[in-house]
Amino acid sequence: GQQVMQIPQYQHVQEGEDFTTYCNSSTTLSNIQWYKQRPGGHPVFLIQLVKSGEVKKQKRLTFQFGEAKKNSSLHITATQTTDVGTYFCAGNSGNTPLVFGKGTRLSVIA
Amino acid sequence: NAGVTQTPKFRVLKTGQSMTLLCAQDMNHEYMYWYRQDPGMGLRLIHYSVGEGTTAKGEVPDGYNVSRLKKQNFLLGLESAAPSQTSVYFCASSYRLERVTQYFGPGTRLLVL
């Protein structure tokens, strides 16, 4: 079945440093979604990418979808303490449910 | 608009006991999902439903049953709880299967002793 791998599992950064998490699928995806889960909270949708090579920005967050639609990345510029949490990518194709990566837990040291 | 709600928020069970987790959504979504979240394992799909009266198995369905008698509700049952089912359970809903946001409930923390 479809697998979505995400690295790194953990990332500790100093406040102000940049952060990137990477997502790779075993199959071609029709879309990739990113979710954020704050400590003790539930996953919250951030963004969806559907086009090959697509790049979207949300303030300090930049999301990319690979040309082959099998990989994606989330980059945060100048991290802040409010960025703390676990970031999940999730994708699917055809008439199948979303498959989530295992997530990257981000810690920001002030 | 409450979105997706889950009851209970927290529960402690003894091995062999049964319980039902309730998920309700007020967004008129066709699709509903149950996930479990364990440390380092991400979100794993247990069962899902594509509409009232339907259910389908996800990645880790063993030991769980589900029912979708009403469109707005999705129940997850544990007939005989095991310590391996200690986890945080999240319910989610969406209006279709692909290319749409999933909305998650606040979660139920379950401890099986």
Side-chain angles (χ1 to χ4, degrees), chain B residues 38-92:
Chain B
D38 304 293
M41 298 298 292
L43 292 158
R44 293 184 292 170
L45 184 64
I46 305 171
H47 286 280
Y48 64 103
S49 168
V50 302
E52 182 178 321
T54 74
T55 62
K57 293 181 180 180
E59 179 188 353
V60 288
D62 294 342
Y64 305 94
N65 57 75
V66 287
S67 64
R68 183 101 181 268
L69 298 179
K70 292 183 179 181
K71 186 177 184 178
Q72 63 268 32
N73 296 337
F74 196 26
L75 278 64
L76 178 71
L78 286 73
E79 288 188 350
S80 180
S84 60
Q85 294 177 304
T86 292
S87 188
V88 179
Y89 292 87
F90 287 102
C91 175

Side-chain angles (χ1 to χ4, degrees), chain A residues 27-64:
Chain A
T27 60
T28 302
L29 302 170
S30 67
N31 74 108
I32 191 97
Q33 299 179 17
W34 286 90
Y35 291 77
K36 177 182 178 180
Q37 183 179 24
R38 296 183 185 275
H42 59 277
V44 175
F45 175 81
L46 291 176
I47 207 160
Q48 175 177 260
L49 305 168
V50 299
K51 297 177 183 175
S52 171
E54 189 170 13
V55 178
K56 286 188 176 181
K57 294 190 175 185
Q58 288 180 351
K59 297 183 181 178
R60 295 177 294 104
L61 278 61
T62 302
F63 304 85
Q64 293 188 335

Side-chain angles (χ1 to χ4, degrees), chain A residues 9-10 30-31 33 35 37 41-43 45 48 50 69 88 92-98 100-103, chain B residues 31 33 35 37 39-45 48 59 90 97-107 109:
Chain A
Q9 190 174 0
Y10 302 98
S30 67
N31 74 108
Q33 299 179 17
Y35 291 77
Q37 183 179 24
H42 59 277
F45 175 81
Q48 175 177 260
V50 299
K69 301 183 77 173
F88 293 97
N92 60 356
S93 58
N95 206 27
T96 59
L98 270 182
F100 281 80
K102 293 184 178 181
Chain B
Y31 295 82
Y33 315 85
Y35 295 91
Q37 184 175 35
M41 298 298 292
L43 292 158
R44 293 184 292 170
L45 184 64
Y48 64 103
E59 179 188 353
F90 287 102
L97 198 59
E98 197 177 354
R99 296 194 177 191
V100 293
T101 306
Q102 284 193 12
Y103 295 87
F104 282 80
R109 188 173 297 272

Side-chain angles (χ1 to χ4, degrees), chain A residues 51-92:
Chain A
K51 297 177 183 175
S52 171
E54 189 170 13
V55 178
K56 286 188 176 181
K57 294 190 175 185
Q58 288 180 351
K59 297 183 181 178
R60 295 177 294 104
L61 278 61
T62 302
F63 304 85
Q64 293 188 335
F65 200 9
E67 293 289 340
K69 301 183 77 173
K70 294 181 74 172
N71 57 62
S72 181
S73 65
L74 157 59
H75 179 82
I76 302 178
T77 304
T79 55
Q80 300 176 357
T81 55
T82 53
D83 296 324
V84 164
T86 301
Y87 293 85
F88 293 97
C89 63
N92 60 356

